[in-house]
PDB file of all heavy atoms in Angstrom:
ATOM      1  N   VAL A 217      -7.130 -31.766  -7.296  1.00 97.00           N
ATOM      2  CA  VAL A 217      -7.422 -30.339  -7.426  1.00 97.00           C
ATOM      3  C   VAL A 217      -6.263 -29.518  -6.854  1.00 97.00           C
ATOM      4  O   VAL A 217      -5.792 -29.796  -5.754  1.00 97.00           O
ATOM      5  CB  VAL A 217      -8.728 -29.997  -6.680  1.00 97.00           C
ATOM      6  CG1 VAL A 217      -8.967 -28.497  -6.670  1.00 97.00           C
ATOM      7  CG2 VAL A 217      -9.902 -30.725  -7.317  1.00 97.00           C
ATOM      8  N   THR A 218      -5.822 -28.497  -7.616  1.00 96.00           N
ATOM      9  CA  THR A 218      -4.738 -27.639  -7.139  1.00 96.00           C
ATOM     10  C   THR A 218      -5.288 -26.286  -6.703  1.00 96.00           C
ATOM     11  O   THR A 218      -6.393 -25.883  -7.077  1.00 96.00           O
ATOM     12  CB  THR A 218      -3.697 -27.387  -8.241  1.00 96.00           C
ATOM     13  OG1 THR A 218      -4.320 -26.630  -9.291  1.00 96.00           O
ATOM     14  CG2 THR A 218      -3.155 -28.685  -8.803  1.00 96.00           C
ATOM     15  N   ALA A 219      -4.466 -25.591  -5.937  1.00 97.00           N
ATOM     16  CA  ALA A 219      -4.844 -24.245  -5.483  1.00 97.00           C
ATOM     17  C   ALA A 219      -5.076 -23.326  -6.678  1.00 97.00           C
ATOM     18  O   ALA A 219      -6.014 -22.520  -6.679  1.00 97.00           O
ATOM     19  CB  ALA A 219      -3.757 -23.676  -4.566  1.00 97.00           C
ATOM     20  N   LEU A 220      -4.230 -23.444  -7.702  1.00 97.00           N
ATOM     21  CA  LEU A 220      -4.395 -22.566  -8.873  1.00 97.00           C
ATOM     22  C   LEU A 220      -5.736 -22.808  -9.555  1.00 97.00           C
ATOM     23  O   LEU A 220      -6.402 -21.879 -10.007  1.00 97.00           O
ATOM     24  CB  LEU A 220      -3.257 -22.783  -9.873  1.00 97.00           C
ATOM     25  CG  LEU A 220      -1.884 -22.248  -9.469  1.00 97.00           C
ATOM     26  CD1 LEU A 220      -0.871 -22.508 -10.580  1.00 97.00           C
ATOM     27  CD2 LEU A 220      -1.950 -20.758  -9.161  1.00 97.00           C
ATOM     28  N   GLU A 221      -6.129 -24.094  -9.614  1.00 97.00           N
ATOM     29  CA  GLU A 221      -7.405 -24.404 -10.256  1.00 97.00           C
ATOM     30  C   GLU A 221      -8.562 -23.821  -9.448  1.00 97.00           C
ATOM     31  O   GLU A 221      -9.508 -23.231 -10.011  1.00 97.00           O
ATOM     32  CB  GLU A 221      -7.551 -25.928 -10.379  1.00 97.00           C
ATOM     33  CG  GLU A 221      -8.657 -26.349 -11.318  1.00 97.00           C
ATOM     34  CD  GLU A 221      -8.856 -27.868 -11.339  1.00 97.00           C
ATOM     35  OE1 GLU A 221      -8.019 -28.613 -10.771  1.00 97.00           O
ATOM     36  OE2 GLU A 221      -9.859 -28.302 -11.921  1.00 97.00           O
ATOM     37  N   VAL A 222      -8.508 -23.957  -8.135  1.00 98.00           N
ATOM     38  CA  VAL A 222      -9.583 -23.424  -7.286  1.00 98.00           C
ATOM     39  C   VAL A 222      -9.633 -21.900  -7.398  1.00 98.00           C
ATOM     40  O   VAL A 222     -10.712 -21.304  -7.516  1.00 98.00           O
ATOM     41  CB  VAL A 222      -9.395 -23.858  -5.819  1.00 98.00           C
ATOM     42  CG1 VAL A 222     -10.467 -23.228  -4.935  1.00 98.00           C
ATOM     43  CG2 VAL A 222      -9.423 -25.372  -5.697  1.00 98.00           C
ATOM     44  N   LEU A 223      -8.460 -21.268  -7.385  1.00 98.00           N
ATOM     45  CA  LEU A 223      -8.424 -19.806  -7.507  1.00 98.00           C
ATOM     46  C   LEU A 223      -9.062 -19.367  -8.828  1.00 98.00           C
ATOM     47  O   LEU A 223      -9.829 -18.398  -8.872  1.00 98.00           O
ATOM     48  CB  LEU A 223      -6.974 -19.305  -7.433  1.00 98.00           C
ATOM     49  CG  LEU A 223      -6.344 -19.302  -6.035  1.00 98.00           C
ATOM     50  CD1 LEU A 223      -4.818 -19.165  -6.121  1.00 98.00           C
ATOM     51  CD2 LEU A 223      -6.913 -18.161  -5.180  1.00 98.00           C
ATOM     52  N   THR A 224      -8.751 -20.087  -9.887  1.00 97.00           N
ATOM     53  CA  THR A 224      -9.298 -19.730 -11.204  1.00 97.00           C
ATOM     54  C   THR A 224     -10.814 -19.888 -11.218  1.00 97.00           C
ATOM     55  O   THR A 224     -11.541 -19.065 -11.777  1.00 97.00           O
ATOM     56  CB  THR A 224      -8.645 -20.612 -12.280  1.00 97.00           C
ATOM     57  OG1 THR A 224      -7.223 -20.503 -12.158  1.00 97.00           O
ATOM     58  CG2 THR A 224      -9.057 -20.185 -13.678  1.00 97.00           C
ATOM     59  N   GLU A 225     -11.277 -20.960 -10.566  1.00 97.00           N
ATOM     60  CA  GLU A 225     -12.720 -21.197 -10.497  1.00 97.00           C
ATOM     61  C   GLU A 225     -13.408 -20.118  -9.643  1.00 97.00           C
ATOM     62  O   GLU A 225     -14.473 -19.619 -10.004  1.00 97.00           O
ATOM     63  CB  GLU A 225     -12.951 -22.592  -9.892  1.00 97.00           C
ATOM     64  CG  GLU A 225     -14.371 -23.079  -9.946  1.00 97.00           C
ATOM     65  CD  GLU A 225     -14.847 -23.419 -11.358  1.00 97.00           C
ATOM     66  OE1 GLU A 225     -14.001 -23.497 -12.278  1.00 97.00           O
ATOM     67  OE2 GLU A 225     -16.068 -23.579 -11.528  1.00 97.00           O
ATOM     68  N   LEU A 226     -12.765 -19.750  -8.538  1.00 97.00           N
ATOM     69  CA  LEU A 226     -13.343 -18.708  -7.686  1.00 97.00           C
ATOM     70  C   LEU A 226     -13.366 -17.361  -8.403  1.00 97.00           C
ATOM     71  O   LEU A 226     -14.277 -16.552  -8.201  1.00 97.00           O
ATOM     72  CB  LEU A 226     -12.547 -18.595  -6.381  1.00 97.00           C
ATOM     73  CG  LEU A 226     -12.898 -19.642  -5.325  1.00 97.00           C
ATOM     74  CD1 LEU A 226     -11.814 -19.700  -4.254  1.00 97.00           C
ATOM     75  CD2 LEU A 226     -14.250 -19.315  -4.686  1.00 97.00           C
ATOM     76  N   ALA A 227     -12.353 -17.141  -9.245  1.00 95.00           N
ATOM     77  CA  ALA A 227     -12.292 -15.866  -9.975  1.00 95.00           C
ATOM     78  C   ALA A 227     -13.500 -15.706 -10.885  1.00 95.00           C
ATOM     79  O   ALA A 227     -13.856 -14.589 -11.266  1.00 95.00           O
ATOM     80  CB  ALA A 227     -11.005 -15.771 -10.771  1.00 95.00           C
ATOM     81  N   ALA A 228     -14.132 -16.823 -11.228  1.00 93.00           N
ATOM     82  CA  ALA A 228     -15.318 -16.748 -12.088  1.00 93.00           C
ATOM     83  C   ALA A 228     -16.579 -16.396 -11.308  1.00 93.00           C
ATOM     84  O   ALA A 228     -17.610 -16.079 -11.907  1.00 93.00           O
ATOM     85  CB  ALA A 228     -15.506 -18.077 -12.809  1.00 93.00           C
ATOM     86  N   GLU A 229     -16.517 -16.450  -9.984  1.00 92.00           N
ATOM     87  CA  GLU A 229     -17.683 -16.073  -9.181  1.00 92.00           C
ATOM     88  C   GLU A 229     -17.898 -14.566  -9.303  1.00 92.00           C
ATOM     89  O   GLU A 229     -16.970 -13.783  -9.068  1.00 92.00           O
ATOM     90  CB  GLU A 229     -17.449 -16.434  -7.702  1.00 92.00           C
ATOM     91  CG  GLU A 229     -17.444 -17.911  -7.419  1.00 92.00           C
ATOM     92  CD  GLU A 229     -18.844 -18.522  -7.540  1.00 92.00           C
ATOM     93  OE1 GLU A 229     -19.814 -17.895  -7.096  1.00 92.00           O
ATOM     94  OE2 GLU A 229     -18.939 -19.633  -8.094  1.00 92.00           O
TER      95      GLU A 229
END
Side-chain angles (χ1 to χ4, degrees):
Chain A
V217 174
T218 66
L220 288 182
E221 194 185 350
V222 176
L223 284 164
T224 307
E225 189 70 12
L226 279 164
E229 290 289 319

